[in-house]
């Protein structure tokens, strides 16, 4: 290190009123590693207030004072830096994300949790920028207001233990040009150290390094113990650190983890040799490396101490924690909900909210216009409290249900008139304008098509207590039709319907507009979707969950959904109902592009094809949620919406990967393997009762197009393998071995 770093990094005092002596980087780091400092802070957190004034202090904005007297007039080496206090507890994760993962308006040097779990943020002040302007910029960037009391160059802060550190930039150790002493216009300048090119040590980088250290069964102390340093670092590099970190990132970590020895010749030689011999970006990552990379790249899951502080129990480790500050509508809809259920409710309300939109479109980043088709499945353990979504949805749907009740009564009267007339009498025509949006859980396919045809382009909606209730839509002998409906509901401008011979039968072709909620256990959801893992439904559905409560925990207590709640909700619903046409939301559009890039980067680095495939439609879902929020808030946007939508995306993808990721990868591997083995018997891949569309789907899955499907059906029928069903459903077939009780017909 050069002479400047050894003498003028900061000053440290041994008590609040003690003189502040010039200190080096090594002094500062050594002090923060003292066991007694950690113990003092723990006692202060538990309420021992007297100890606080005995903590050591340091001056982040000045490196030396005349006669060690801490005063503005005696500041010999002031620095263009500003330390800000964010006093609200529990928001450090969000501040770290805003300032280190998103674009920070100022160069951040240090982020740490204060003694009482507030947040300290040290930044560089650009030339000419006032402290007040810097605070305004940081408030906009983080969404939180820093303490108005600005810390001048003579102000000190309490020192905290090393484990309170959340982010360190290497520039912290390389002071920029000094400010003129005492505010004078002149003064000597000292040039910055030439080592300023190293990158900051981000929480993500530290997490990767520490994960490799844990995999090598080492503790941080082994990196600073004489005689063990070299072998310890070699073990860490051997398990994959060189694959996961760039060389400059690793060197930044070593300056934190090995402050006294990272520049030793043997350490530098070891690092250079490993990157020369073993760093190969084309090399396939191990399962361990992929797992570490996946955890490190999830912005809202940045771990702390090897594990996310907000990780819920019940095997749901790493579930992204919900933002503290929410869009006003989501804040209202979760306001009567116990904390443990808030994330599930925040996801589950969107299908019913979007059901209020009529003839409203949003242009996605691929230039395709989408309506707000949103489908949600809540997967959680037995007794986890899945009913938490019911009351918020009931109140959202109240206005639609009132209109539905009126039209249901009209339909009932019409049916009564029809039934009262004889067979040869003229029947009354079905009433016009029978818009009934909410359908019954046991609706048949014919009734579904009828309701859709009469809805005049409104969304149909249903809330299912169990996902298996969807089976009512699969029709007679048409395996998987309910999954086809899920897919077509999400896709753009597809047509669906049924053609029947009978005069009284429903014959309609419609565009499916269908939003819905369903609940199931985790195992039940896996079983329900097990045959369609790679056929599309899972990627089109928004998933959420509820972590298990501790055994013996208190029962969560709900608030009251009263008239005041309904009155606060009313303007949001009215805005959604009044919207029409193509609505542009430039902020949501830009956010979608940014999130697309984030997901693409994750996919490239993790090399997870499953994640990439799931992310495509998860991004559309997140974008549509952003648009719904934008309309509901009167075509206004704020940062809470961006934070919420980003969290919603990562949460949705976490659930999909957690619940279905491995099964999807296995299914894709089996399918790829089967294709490599050669052609398959397509008839064996079809259910015992199938339709022409089922046959087309199977052909596509095997890499065969639609062309020729009629010839295939004709051949099977002529050879006696199948026969056409004799009921009203056209283009429907049955395998003859099924009809003959399992006896194959040769």
């Amino acid at each position: 290190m050069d002479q400047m770093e050894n003498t003028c990094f900061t000053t440290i005092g041994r008590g609040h009123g003690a003189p502040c002596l010039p200190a080096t980087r090594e002094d500062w780091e050594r002090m923060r590693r003292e066991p007694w400092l950690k113990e003092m802070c723990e006692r202060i957190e538990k309420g021992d207030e007297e100890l606080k004034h005995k903590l050591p202090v340091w001056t982040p904005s000045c490196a030396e004072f005349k006669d060690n007297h801490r005063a503005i007039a005696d500041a010999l080496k002031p620095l263009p830096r500003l330390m800000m206090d964010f006093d609200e507890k529990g928001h450090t994760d969000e501040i770290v994300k805003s300032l280190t993962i998103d674009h920070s308006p100022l160069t951040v040097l240090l982020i740490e949790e204060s003694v009482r779990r507030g947040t300290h943020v040290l930044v560089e002040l650009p030339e000419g920028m006032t402290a007040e302007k810097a605070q305004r910029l940081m408030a906009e960037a983080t969404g939180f207001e820093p303490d108005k009391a600005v810390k001048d160059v003579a102000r000190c802060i309490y020192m905290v233990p090393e484990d309170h550190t959340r982010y360190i930039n290497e520039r912290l150790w390389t002071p920029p040009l000094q400010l003129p002493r005492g505010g004078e216009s002149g003064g000597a300048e000292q040039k910055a150290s030439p080592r300023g090119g190293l990158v900051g040590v981000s929480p993500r980088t530290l997490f990767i390094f520490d994960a490799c250290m844990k995999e090598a069964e080492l503790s941080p102390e082994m990196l600073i113990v004489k005689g063990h340093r070299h072998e310890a670092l070699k073990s860490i590099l051997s398990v994959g650190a060189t694959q996961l970190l760039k060389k400059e990132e690793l060197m930044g970590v070593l300056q934190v983890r090995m402050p006294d020895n990272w520049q030793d010749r043997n350490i530098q030689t070891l690092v250079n040799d490993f990157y020369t011999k073993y760093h190969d970006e084309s090399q396939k990552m191990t399962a361990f490396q992929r797992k570490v990379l996946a955890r490190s790249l999830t912005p809202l899951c940045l771990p702390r101490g090897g594990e996310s502080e907000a990780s819920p129990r019940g095997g749901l480790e790493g579930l992204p924690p919900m933002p503290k500050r929410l869009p006003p509508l989501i804040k209202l809809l979760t306001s009567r909900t116990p904390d443990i259920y808030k994330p599930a409710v925040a996801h589950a309300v969107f299908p019913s909210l979007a059901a209020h939109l009529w003839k409203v479109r949003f242009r996605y980043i691929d230039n395709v216009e989408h309506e707000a088709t949103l489908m949600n499945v809540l997967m959680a353990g037995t007794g986890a409290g899945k009913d938490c979504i019911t009351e918020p949805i009931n109140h959202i749907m109240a206005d639609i249900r009132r209109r539905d009740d009126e039209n249901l009564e009209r339909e009932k009267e019409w049916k009564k008139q029809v039934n009262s007339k004889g067979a040869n009498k003229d029947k009354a025509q079905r009433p016009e304008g029978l818009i009934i949006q909410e359908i019954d859980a046991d609706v048949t396919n014919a009734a579904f098509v009828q309701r859709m045809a009469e809805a005049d382009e409104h969304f149909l909606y249903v809330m299912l207590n169990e996902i298996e209730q969807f089976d009512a839509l699969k029709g007679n002998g048409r395996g998987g039709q309910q999954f086809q409906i899920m897919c077509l509901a999400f896709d753009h401008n597809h047509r669906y319907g049924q053609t029947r011979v009978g005069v009284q039968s429903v014959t309609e072709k419609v565009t499916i507009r269908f939003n819905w909620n369903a609940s199931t256990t985790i195992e039940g959801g896996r079983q329900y979707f097990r045959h369609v893992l790679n056929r599309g439904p899972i990627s089109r559905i928004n998933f959420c969950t509820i972590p298990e409560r501790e055994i013996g925990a208190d029962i969560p207590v709900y608030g009251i959904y009263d008239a005041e709640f309904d009155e606060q909700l009313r303007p949001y619903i009215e805005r959604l109902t009044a919207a029409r046409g193509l609505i542009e939301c430039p902020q949501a559009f830009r956010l979608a592009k940014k999130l697309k890039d984030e997901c693409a980067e994750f996919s490239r680095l993790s090399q997870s094809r499953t994640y990439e495939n799931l992310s495509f439609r998860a991004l559309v879902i997140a974008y549509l949620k952003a648009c719904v929020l934008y309309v509901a808030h009167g075509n206004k946007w704020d940062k809470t919406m961006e934070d919420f939508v980003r969290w919603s995306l990562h949460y949705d993808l976490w659930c999909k990967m957690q619940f279905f990721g491995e099964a999807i990868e296995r299914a894709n591997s089996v399918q790829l393997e089967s294709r490599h083995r050669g052609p398959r018997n397509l008839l064996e891949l079809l259910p015992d009762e199938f339709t022409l569309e089922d046959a087309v789907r199977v052909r596509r899955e095997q890499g065969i197009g639609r062309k020729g499907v009629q010839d295939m059906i004709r051949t099977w029928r002529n050879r006696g393998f199948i026969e056409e069903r004799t009921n009203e459903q056209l283009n429907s077939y049955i395998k003859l071995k099924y009809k003959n009780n399992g006896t194959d017909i040769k």
Side-chain angles (χ1 to χ4, degrees), residues 19-231:
C20 284
L21 305 175
T24 66
R25 167 182 177 174
E26 289 76 14
D27 295 328
W28 186 80
E29 291 183 328
R30 192 177 299 111
M31 181 75 78
R32 289 160 66 89
R33 289 197 293 266
E34 289 287 352
W36 54 262
L37 178 61
K38 184 177 180 66
E39 181 182 351
M40 285 180 70
C41 287
E42 289 174 350
R43 289 174 59 185
I44 292 169
E45 287 181 32
K46 294 176 181 177
D48 193 342
E49 292 291 330
E50 294 299 319
L51 275 180
K52 186 172 182 181
H53 298 291
K54 298 180 181 179
L55 285 171
V57 297
W58 66 291
T59 56
S61 301
C62 189
E64 189 176 347
F65 294 95
K66 181 181 179 181
D67 298 326
N68 301 326
H69 181 249
R70 189 170 53 82
I72 296 177
D74 292 321
L76 296 178
K77 295 180 179 178
L79 301 169
R81 294 175 172 177
L82 178 66
M83 178 67 83
M84 295 182 226
D85 285 341
F86 294 84
D87 293 330
E88 292 182 89
K89 296 182 180 180
H91 297 302
T92 308
D93 282 340
E94 296 168 74
I95 292 172
V96 169
K97 179 179 76 69
S98 299
L99 300 180
T100 62
I101 294 174
D102 296 340
H103 297 291
S104 173
L106 300 173
T107 300
V108 178
L109 303 177
L110 173 71
I111 305 177
E112 64 180 13
E113 288 185 316
S114 61
V115 181
R116 292 181 178 172
R117 300 296 181 182
T119 310
H120 289 155
V121 178
L122 180 64
V123 300
E124 277 187 1
L125 279 178
E127 185 177 357
M129 180 176 288
T130 65
E132 290 74 16
K133 182 176 180 180
Q135 287 196 311
R136 287 198 303 272
L137 290 174
M138 297 301 274
E140 293 171 1
T142 64
F144 299 98
E145 289 289 339
D147 191 331
K148 298 298 182 184
V150 175
K151 293 189 181 297
D152 56 48
V153 294
R155 292 284 295 274
C156 62
I157 63 168
Y158 292 112
M159 188 164 280
V160 292
E162 187 178 38
D163 65 0
H164 280 226
T165 303
R166 303 306 304 280
Y167 174 82
I168 295 181
N169 190 320
E170 184 61 23
R171 290 173 68 89
L172 177 65
W173 318 118
T174 311
L177 300 178
Q178 294 172 220
L179 292 171
R181 179 185 170 183
E184 298 173 3
S185 59
E189 294 182 345
Q190 186 167 349
K191 293 185 178 180
S193 163
R195 290 192 306 101
L198 291 175
V199 298
V201 184
S202 69
R204 170 188 170 271
T205 304
L206 283 171
F207 168 69
I208 291 175
F209 184 86
D210 290 350
C212 292
M213 184 164 55
K214 184 177 179 181
E215 180 73 5
E217 300 182 349
L218 296 170
S219 61
E221 291 76 20
M222 299 301 291
L223 288 169
I224 57 175
V225 175
K226 187 176 181 180
H228 295 278
R229 294 189 292 262
H230 187 276
E231 287 303 313

Side-chain angles (χ1 to χ4, degrees), residues 88 91 94 142-144 323-327 639-640 643-644:
E88 292 182 89
H91 297 302
E94 296 168 74
T142 64
F144 299 98
K324 300 290 184 184
R325 299 176 73 240
L326 299 170
K639 191 177 187 300
T640 63
D643 293 342
F644 177 83

Side-chain angles (χ1 to χ4, degrees), residues 483-536:
F483 299 119
Q484 183 186 10
I485 290 173
M486 295 175 191
C487 293
L488 293 181
F490 187 87
D491 295 344
H492 178 68
N493 274 345
H494 279 79
R495 301 285 286 170
Y496 175 82
Q498 63 175 26
T499 303
R500 296 292 184 265
V501 176
V503 176
Q504 299 297 325
S505 300
V506 175
T507 299
E508 294 282 359
K509 286 289 184 181
V510 296
T511 297
I512 294 180
R513 296 178 175 88
F514 184 30
N515 288 3
W516 51 270
N517 289 88
S519 300
T520 183
T521 63
I522 294 174
E523 188 54 37
R526 285 170 171 159
Q527 287 294 316
Y528 192 75
F529 292 104
R530 69 188 185 279
H531 295 308
V532 291
L533 290 170
N534 50 13
R535 296 182 189 171

